[in-house]
Amino acid sequence: SLLTNYTDPRVQILHNPKKNAASARNYAYLNSDGDYIIFFDADDLISPDFIEKQLKKIIGNENSVVISHWGRFYDGDLNTYKENSFIIKNDLTYEEWILGYWYNVMHTTPPGRLIFSKTLIAKTPLWDESLNLNDDFQFFNELFFHCAKIIYSDVQFYYRSGIGG
């Protein structure tokens, strides 16, 4: 595999015994030792300052979630990027998130666009491994319900689509 010879001591390479995304995220979380969590998928892309800016917003707000700007690009071509038109670009409570996103049936929350503390995730159920579709909706609904607020960050998250898997 590509990671076989990767030796950065800050990075832990895990091999998940199960096979779906929810189980991989649970396995990674349970084996993590940092104070903050971002669930990146293998095909996600982020702006160069993404992690730095997300961390600046979450430190001191451990009972909140920081959520980024996002949009889709297709077939690996960033020139096809299109911003998600339903992004609410301000901080929200759980109730405001429901009213804003559910009303427009635009509750998509790619996992990599959020950072949150281990303190917060400890209050919620982990990813439901029986779900192969909309597992992110279930997980983030629980996480947002337990957080003090959802803090918006204008940093860019790129969600890859159209690659067939």
Side-chain angles (χ1 to χ4, degrees):
S1 112
L2 181 65
L3 297 175
T4 303
N5 296 319
Y6 194 78
T7 57
D8 187 325
R10 299 170 300 170
V11 176
Q12 192 180 148
I13 298 170
L14 304 171
H15 299 281
N16 182 23
K18 298 180 184 177
K19 298 297 178 193
N20 70 13
S23 70
R25 292 179 185 126
N26 287 339
Y27 190 72
Y29 164 72
L30 293 169
N31 285 279
S32 68
D33 59 7
D35 295 328
Y36 302 98
I37 305 293
I38 301 175
F39 289 112
F40 287 122
D41 289 340
D43 57 358
D44 294 339
L45 293 177
I46 56 174
S47 59
D49 57 354
F50 185 91
I51 294 174
E52 177 186 4
K53 284 188 172 182
Q54 293 288 78
L55 276 171
K56 283 181 179 177
K57 289 211 170 216
I58 195 66
I59 292 172
N61 290 300
E62 280 71 17
N63 285 319
S64 294
V65 169
V66 175
I67 191 165
S68 77
H69 198 78
W70 80 284
R72 293 179 189 269
F73 70 102
Y74 295 87
D75 302 318
D77 182 359
L78 276 176
N79 293 318
T80 64
Y81 173 79
K82 184 173 185 207
E83 175 184 300
N84 181 288
S85 60
F86 288 97
I87 296 171
I88 299 172
K89 297 179 179 180
N90 55 283
D91 298 352
L92 302 169
T93 64
Y94 175 69
E95 292 82 11
E96 291 167 333
W97 175 74
I98 288 175
L99 293 173
Y101 282 95
W102 288 18
Y103 177 79
N104 292 306
V105 193
M106 293 302 300
H107 52 72
T108 302
T109 305
R113 71 184 280 234
L114 283 88
I115 188 169
F116 44 89
S117 70
K118 277 190 130 176
T119 305
L120 179 61
I121 196 174
K123 298 176 185 178
T124 68
L126 293 181
W127 294 81
D128 184 342
E129 296 182 22
S130 71
L131 298 175
N132 285 318
L133 185 62
N134 291 326
D135 57 339
D136 53 347
F137 176 70
Q138 177 272 333
F139 177 78
F140 289 121
N141 187 49
E142 289 283 351
L143 191 70
F144 292 172
F145 177 77
H146 287 90
C147 77
K149 63 183 168 181
I150 302 160
I151 302 169
Y152 174 73
S153 172
D154 66 354
V155 69
Q156 188 62 52
F157 176 82
Y158 302 94
Y159 186 79
R160 186 184 322 247
S161 293
I163 57 173

